[in-house]
């Protein structure tokens, strides 16, 4: 057998052995058997010295070509082995890297969700409907239809997140009340729970993203007494006892007269802490009788219809319910904190 025939034989043997490699370790071992310093192909090339110049060119060129083809075949086989390895792992050892390993623990509701559902149950038992709306709103729905003037401070960029298209992230769920005023025929009672956004300076009682439940009642001869009674029923059922509250005069463009309903701080018992700014009271909800202009802006006659509206901060209600002294805990994602609920 001449050297050229021997090279053909080595090439065929090497292909068969390399293709049968079970893993990369065996592949490297098989590669070295033919292409290593002491490999079979190298041994054949050592015999070139006995050949003529023409034979050296022919056999040497063929040996280089075989060596190159085998290197390419080794690379291709290596990639196939890697792909097979990952396929096998995906079938046999699959796991979700984002999911905690070990024995799965049953999940629980976030405290805000828990209180929201409780509030919804209380209001629906009093004949209220639950309404929803988009978190990205128009300026008119968020401000204009609620009797905010063009120069009202709430419309400043220091208070509201505006988008490039002129829309904004809703600063209250009152925008849902606007949608209800246009779609429902009075009398009606609705609540509007949801997430809102404000450009706030974050501290123990303020966040840039928080949750509200706003509500509205529209009908005949609705008074502030109806509003106060509704709020007292809500709070007594949430806290399962009578809670000390106070009503202060306030100013909000969408209600007149306007009030601030404060709750005795349940974290410190009224002695003063960082949550209530050491006053013993925490502002819980703005409220009041619906402003006649709001009725007019949304197609209702204020001579025929009256009503009241309120906005309840869900995060603050959760803090009062469970004695949480910092609102930032609620959105921290800290499982040690959340597991308490």
């Amino acid at each position: 057998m001449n050297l050229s025939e021997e090279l053909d034989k080595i090439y065929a043997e090497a292909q068969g052995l390399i293709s049968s490699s079970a893993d990369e370790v065996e592949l490297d071992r098989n590669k070295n058997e033919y292409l290593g310093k002491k490999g079979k192909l190298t041994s054949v090339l050592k015999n070139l010295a006995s050949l003529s110049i023409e034979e050296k060119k022919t056999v040497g060129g063929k040996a280089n070509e075989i060596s190159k083809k085998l290197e390419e075949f080794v690379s291709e086989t290596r990639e196939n082995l890697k792909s097979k390895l990952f396929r096998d792992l995906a079938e046999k050892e699959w796991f979700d890297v984002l999911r905690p390993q070990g024995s799965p623990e049953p999940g629980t509701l976030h405290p805000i969700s828990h209180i929201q559902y409780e509030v919804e149950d209380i209001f629906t038992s009093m004949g209220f409907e639950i309404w929803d709306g988009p978190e990205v709103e128009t300026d008119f729905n968020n401000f204009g239809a609620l009797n905010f003037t063009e120069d009202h401070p709430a419309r400043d960029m220091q208070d509201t997140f505006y988008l490039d298209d002129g829309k904004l992230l809703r600063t209250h769920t009152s925008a849902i009340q606007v949608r209800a005023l246009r779609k429902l025929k009075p009398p009606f009672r609705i609540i509007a729970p949801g997430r809102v956004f404000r450009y706030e300076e974050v501290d123990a009682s303020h966040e840039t993203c928080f949750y509200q439940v706003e509500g509205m009642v529209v009908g005949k001869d609705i008074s502030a007494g109806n509003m106060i009674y509704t709020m007292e029923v809500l709070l007594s059922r949430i806290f399962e006892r009578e809670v000390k509250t106070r009503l202060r005069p306030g100013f909000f463009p969408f209600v007149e007269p306007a009030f601030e309903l404060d709750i005795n701080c349940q974290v410190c018992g009224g002695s003063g802490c960082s949550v209530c700014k050491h006053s013993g009271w925490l502002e819980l909800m703005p409220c009041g009788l619906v402003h006649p202009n709001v009725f007019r802006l949304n197609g209702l006659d204020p001579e025929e219809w009256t009503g009241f509206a309120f906005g309840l901060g869900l995060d603050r209600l959760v803090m009062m319910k469970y004695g949480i002294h910092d609102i930032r805990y609620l959105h921290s994602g800290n499982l040690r904190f959340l597991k308490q609920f």
Side-chain angles (χ1 to χ4, degrees):
M1 183 185 298
N2 59 36
L3 288 180
S4 180
E5 291 174 342
E6 192 170 347
L7 285 173
D8 289 335
K9 181 181 178 182
I10 289 173
Y11 178 60
E13 289 178 355
Q15 276 193 312
L17 191 62
I18 289 169
S19 63
S20 67
S21 302
D23 52 42
E24 288 193 76
V25 174
E26 187 177 348
L27 175 64
D28 290 332
R29 186 167 60 246
N30 293 336
K31 173 187 174 183
N32 288 332
E33 185 172 341
Y34 289 91
L35 298 174
K37 291 182 179 180
K38 297 181 180 180
K40 293 182 180 180
L41 187 59
T42 306
S43 299
V44 171
L45 295 177
K46 290 179 180 179
N47 298 321
L48 288 177
S50 61
L51 301 178
S52 65
I53 294 177
E54 289 300 321
E55 288 177 321
K56 286 179 180 178
K57 290 182 180 180
T58 302
V59 175
K62 186 172 186 177
N64 288 333
E65 183 181 355
I66 288 175
S67 177
K68 181 179 178 182
K69 286 182 178 180
L70 288 178
E71 288 284 0
E72 291 174 353
F73 188 61
V74 168
S75 297
E76 181 182 339
T77 303
R78 191 181 304 279
E79 290 302 315
N80 290 337
L81 287 172
K82 286 181 179 179
S83 297
K84 182 177 182 301
L85 175 64
F86 286 115
R87 284 198 303 272
D88 292 343
L89 287 173
E91 292 177 3
K92 300 176 182 178
E93 300 182 22
W94 183 90
F95 66 96
D96 186 346
V97 295
L98 298 177
R99 188 180 297 279
Q101 301 304 304
S103 301
E105 296 182 15
T108 59
L109 284 175
H110 191 282
I112 292 178
S113 298
H114 177 75
I115 293 298
Q116 178 179 327
Y117 297 157
E118 192 172 339
V119 168
E120 289 175 356
D121 287 343
I122 294 169
F123 276 113
T124 54
S125 72
M126 292 191 286
F128 284 71
E129 293 181 15
I130 302 171
W131 272 57
D132 194 11
E135 293 180 347
V136 176
E137 267 291 5
T138 63
D139 180 88
F140 180 75
N141 281 352
N142 198 79
F143 293 124
L146 291 165
N147 200 37
F148 282 80
T149 58
E150 292 292 333
D151 59 350
H152 194 281
R155 284 180 131 138
D156 291 343
M157 293 185 69
Q158 291 88 344
D159 292 293
T160 301
F161 293 104
Y162 286 92
L163 307 180
D164 291 338
D165 60 1
K167 292 184 178 180
L168 50 85
L169 299 182
R170 66 185 182 192
T171 60
H172 44 203
T173 55
S174 300
I176 302 175
Q177 297 176 3
V178 168
R179 294 172 179 271
L181 281 169
R182 294 182 200 152
K183 291 185 178 181
L184 295 178
K185 182 179 179 181
F188 63 80
R189 308 173 193 179
I190 64 111
I191 58 168
R195 184 170 58 169
V196 299
F197 310 86
R198 293 184 190 175
Y199 190 16
E200 294 272 13
E201 184 175 349
V202 177
D203 57 26
S205 56
H206 294 84
E207 261 284 12
T208 56
C209 172
F210 55 99
Y211 288 79
Q212 284 186 335
V213 172
E214 301 214 12
M216 176 179 280
V217 172
V218 176
K220 300 285 188 178
D221 302 319
I222 303 297
S223 69
N226 301 129
M227 177 189 71
I228 294 170
Y229 175 76
T230 303
M231 298 301 100
E232 287 179 347
V233 169
L234 169 67
L235 294 175
S236 64
R237 290 180 62 177
I238 284 287
F239 291 99
E240 299 177 347
R241 65 180 186 275
E242 287 193 15
V243 179
K244 189 177 180 181
T245 61
R246 70 179 184 184
L247 207 61
R248 295 182 289 115
F251 171 76
F252 304 100
F254 38 87
V255 285
E256 179 61 38
F259 307 99
E260 293 271 15
L261 186 122
D262 298 339
I263 184 173
N264 189 240
C265 184
Q266 303 296 297
V267 175
C268 63
S271 61
C273 65
S274 60
V275 175
C276 61
K277 294 182 169 45
H278 305 283
S279 68
W281 294 91
L282 189 73
E283 175 190 329
L284 192 63
M285 66 179 85
C287 53
L289 300 184
V290 178
H291 198 292
N293 286 347
V294 172
F295 282 133
R296 293 189 188 98
L297 287 165
N298 293 283
L300 293 178
D301 183 359
E303 298 296 328
E304 181 180 3
W305 301 106
T306 55
F308 68 81
F310 60 89
L312 170 65
L314 268 179
D315 301 61
R316 291 188 177 182
L317 187 59
V318 171
M319 294 169 71
M320 295 297 98
K321 171 80 171 179
Y322 297 113
I324 299 169
H325 68 272
D326 197 318
I327 193 174
R328 290 166 288 194
Y329 289 152
L330 295 174
H331 303 283
S332 67
N334 187 325
L335 292 179
R336 290 177 299 174
F337 169 77
L338 294 175
K339 282 180 180 178
Q340 300 176 83
F341 306 96

